[in-house]
Amino acid sequence: MSIANLGVFFALLGAVLAALFAGIGSAKGVGMAGQAAAGVCTDDPGKFSKVLILQLLPGTQGIYGLLIAFITMTQIGVMGGDANISVYKGLLYFAACLPMIVVGPVSALNQAKAAVASIAMVNKRPETFGKSMIFPAMVETYAILALLIDILAIFGVSALSI
Amino acid sequence: MSENYIYAVARIRSKELTLLSGNFVDQLLSAKDEKECLKLLNEKGWGTPEMTSEEIFAQEHAKTWELMEELVEDMSVFDVFRYGNDYHNLKAAVKETCIAGEHPGIFAEDGTIQAETIMKALETKEYTLLPERMQNLAQEAVEQLLHTRDGQLCDCMIDQAALSAIREAGKATGEEILSQYGELTVVSSDIKTAVRAARTGKDRTFLERSLAPCETLDTEELIEASLEGFDAICNYLERTPYSDAVEELKKSAAAFEKWCDNLQIRAIKPQLYNPFGVGPLAAYILARENEIKTVRIILSAKRNDLSEEAIRERVREMYV
């Protein structure tokens, strides 16, 4: 295999890492929030539905990572079509995946911390459930921004004829 | 590390909802007698009508530690709270070994070492059965008591070692709240000892054997002040972070005790908003001990027909 054929490798590496890191971040985040939720439900099972929603919030980054991986793979032809892309284009796809590779896990873990704190808030004051959702949801903004720039960049790169 | 306690902290947040609040303490204060107080406590889940107040306190204390054992895998993180009992048991065992006769009920539970182990170590002179920090101390205390028959000297030695161990254990955890607990325990004890020594005319040797070193007080200066008298202690404390203590010391020993307890409670209050780490668990233990102490004061005062105002002066601040 010559260097000229490495384009698809770099593009696929970007796609896989986006799914991998965002998935790791979300798995850890949902696990952390799950521990807090279980702690609440041990003494008050009635709060299950409220804390479950908060537990799931750090899980979205994993979905975003999967989406980025899926879009990239369809664009580079790995899931059908011509997978012959240049090294330069492959590196550009890799760069396009970087926001989710970095922001995905970081935002998932930080969102998990906010979710854990919000679960404690709901535990003490169940009537603040609506407000408690806002705090971890604010962290989601940055995961969405990363997702947006990833999608724009991937489609932008695929439109380039290099 | 702090992520190890997420479940435990969430459980504690639920338990905090059942802690005695300032409003409940007011209710206890307004109760007409001890019986009515006990009824209120029973309704709150403290004991049953058939139990005595001491049985209720023992049960509540046990509940706290059972919960911690359920939540925390490595209980050594709470050694800072249990070292006091170890050294109390050492004092008791030294006296039991050196003084003829049996004295049942002198040992405290919830130490890090079994009281029987301490007794065995002292009786057989196998000091290696004890933790390293206690081996030399135990040997020295037994020899001192046998040679001098001075029980107070023996107590001073062990108390000083206990305070140093508590402070060191707090620092070793790397947790701010536990480190602060160790420091404040030493500070309050040192001030109390210095004041008592000044009032009873104790000499430098006694003070050097009794005061444990700490970060926020200069023990040398405190010893000098104690030798000069009570006013010198007040003047010295005015220059330390504990200047508020001066006013309380001038009032009474009870007022100073209350100030010390309130200082601890204020120091742990930020843990109410901390969702991670061992801090909220440690704060819960201290809060439970504080509420048991407060209820004990109220019941004892009601039993002795003290006025509501007089009891209020002794009641501690609550955590929630």
Side-chain angles (χ1 to χ4, degrees):
Chain A
M1 191 180 190
S2 69
I3 290 179
N5 296 329
L6 281 177
V8 71
F9 168 76
F10 287 122
L12 190 61
L13 183 68
V16 168
L17 289 182
L20 181 75
F21 283 112
I24 289 171
S26 278
K28 204 154 186 256
V30 174
M32 283 166 67
Q35 288 179 55
V40 172
C41 291
T42 306
D43 288 310
D44 187 359
K47 287 176 185 148
F48 172 74
S49 55
K50 285 178 177 166
V51 294
L52 179 70
I53 295 168
L54 288 164
Q55 186 205 346
L56 293 177
L57 287 176
T60 51
Q61 284 82 350
I63 300 170
Y64 300 159
L66 176 78
L67 184 65
I68 294 304
F70 185 75
I71 295 172
T72 310
M73 288 196 293
T74 52
Q75 292 298 316
I76 61 176
V78 167
M79 296 183 75
D82 181 16
N84 189 16
I85 56 171
S86 67
V87 176
Y88 187 49
K89 201 165 183 177
L91 285 169
L92 283 176
Y93 273 120
F94 181 80
C97 292
L98 273 176
M100 191 49 67
I101 294 171
V102 178
V103 180
V106 172
S107 65
L109 290 173
N110 283 296
Q111 193 171 32
K113 287 179 185 172
V116 168
S118 286
I119 287 169
M121 184 176 160
V122 169
N123 191 11
K124 282 209 166 171
R125 295 179 185 274
E127 71 278 10
T128 61
F129 174 61
K131 287 173 186 155
S132 73
M133 292 263 293
I134 306 291
F135 303 122
M138 297 304 283
V139 188
E140 189 76 17
T141 313
Y142 303 96
I144 293 172
L145 293 180
L147 174 72
L148 190 64
I149 203 70
D150 268 2
I151 293 173
L152 290 174
I154 291 165
F155 284 117
V157 171
S158 70
L160 296 173
S161 46
I162 46 174
Chain B
M1 179 67 180
S2 67
E3 285 164 21
N4 295 341
Y5 298 101
I6 293 175
Y7 172 80
V9 174
R11 288 283 307 274
I12 287 300
R13 290 281 105 98
S14 296
K15 297 288 177 193
E16 279 169 4
L17 297 170
T18 61
L19 284 175
L20 306 187
S21 63
N23 287 342
F24 184 79
V25 170
D26 284 341
Q27 265 182 283
L28 287 179
L29 288 171
S30 312
K32 69 174 190 294
D33 55 20
E34 187 190 3
K35 208 175 156 192
E36 203 176 307
C37 285
L38 284 170
K39 200 178 155 201
L40 284 168
L41 287 166
N42 290 163
E43 283 166 11
K44 193 81 181 164
W46 282 47
T48 55
E50 305 81 47
M51 293 169 82
T52 65
S53 54
E54 280 311 312
E55 282 169 348
I56 294 175
F57 298 144
Q59 189 189 55
E60 290 305 311
H61 176 79
K63 270 192 212 169
T64 310
W65 286 101
E66 277 166 23
L67 177 68
M68 289 303 149
E69 271 162 23
E70 189 189 324
L71 296 179
V72 181
E73 217 167 281
D74 178 13
M75 286 290 284
S76 68
V77 73
F78 297 130
D79 280 355
V80 64
F81 298 133
R82 304 196 293 169
Y83 276 0
N85 288 340
D86 285 346
Y87 286 87
H88 165 84
N89 287 344
L90 179 63
K91 270 197 282 187
V94 168
K95 286 175 186 165
E96 187 85 346
T97 313
C98 301
I99 299 165
E102 282 203 0
H103 310 88
I106 55 171
F107 293 109
E109 289 171 12
D110 296 327
T112 60
I113 335 153
Q114 295 281 318
E116 294 78 37
T117 312
I118 301 178
M119 268 309 290
K120 192 180 167 197
L122 266 60
E123 279 167 353
T124 58
K125 298 198 185 306
E126 271 185 73
Y127 296 109
T128 47
L129 291 174
L130 299 173
E132 213 179 320
R133 66 191 152 83
M134 287 175 109
Q135 290 173 8
N136 288 339
L137 175 72
Q139 192 173 357
E140 211 180 317
V142 170
E143 282 165 12
Q144 278 283 355
L145 191 59
L146 286 173
H147 290 145
T148 64
R149 289 277 151 194
D150 186 348
Q152 193 186 37
L153 176 67
C154 171
D155 284 354
C156 287
M157 277 170 61
I158 298 176
D159 285 340
Q160 189 188 45
L163 289 169
S164 297
I166 289 170
R167 187 170 152 264
E168 290 304 318
K171 271 175 80 177
T173 59
E175 291 285 341
E176 198 194 337
I177 181 178
L178 295 174
S179 172
Q180 206 170 25
Y181 169 81
E183 180 72 13
L184 290 179
T185 304
V186 176
V187 165
S188 58
S189 175
D190 279 357
I191 296 174
K192 262 183 266 180
T193 308
V195 170
R196 215 179 306 134
R199 286 191 171 138
T200 53
K202 294 283 183 192
D203 61 8
R204 176 179 287 276
T205 318
F206 171 84
L207 286 161
E208 281 173 352
R209 279 182 177 154
S210 305
L211 300 190
C214 58
E215 271 169 26
T216 46
L217 283 183
D218 182 342
T219 36
E220 256 317 302
E221 271 200 73
L222 192 58
I223 289 171
E224 290 299 332
S226 180
L227 292 169
E228 273 181 56
F230 178 73
D231 289 337
I233 296 175
C234 293
N235 289 339
Y236 168 62
L237 289 177
E238 289 284 8
R239 290 180 274 119
T240 68
Y242 309 105
S243 53
D244 294 350
V246 174
E247 204 186 319
E248 307 302 321
L249 277 170
K250 283 178 181 167
K251 278 187 211 161
S252 66
F256 175 69
E257 288 263 3
K258 179 181 168 178
W259 177 85
C260 292
D261 289 342
N262 287 348
L263 189 66
Q264 284 278 18
I265 289 298
R266 278 176 219 151
I268 62 170
K269 274 199 173 170
Q271 298 303 325
L272 278 170
Y273 311 103
N274 176 13
F276 300 102
V278 77
L281 309 186
Y284 179 78
I285 294 173
L286 289 172
R288 289 280 287 157
E289 291 303 319
N290 181 60
E291 65 180 17
I292 291 171
K293 189 186 270 184
T294 303
V295 172
R296 183 179 269 126
I297 290 168
I298 295 172
L299 292 185
S300 160
K302 291 279 177 192
R303 206 176 299 137
N304 293 294
D305 283 330
L306 287 188
S307 69
E308 191 180 323
E309 207 46 49
I311 311 171
R312 212 172 273 283
E313 280 172 16
R314 291 164 173 77
V315 165
R316 273 59 175 159
E317 277 178 29
M318 303 311 281
Y319 180 52
V320 290

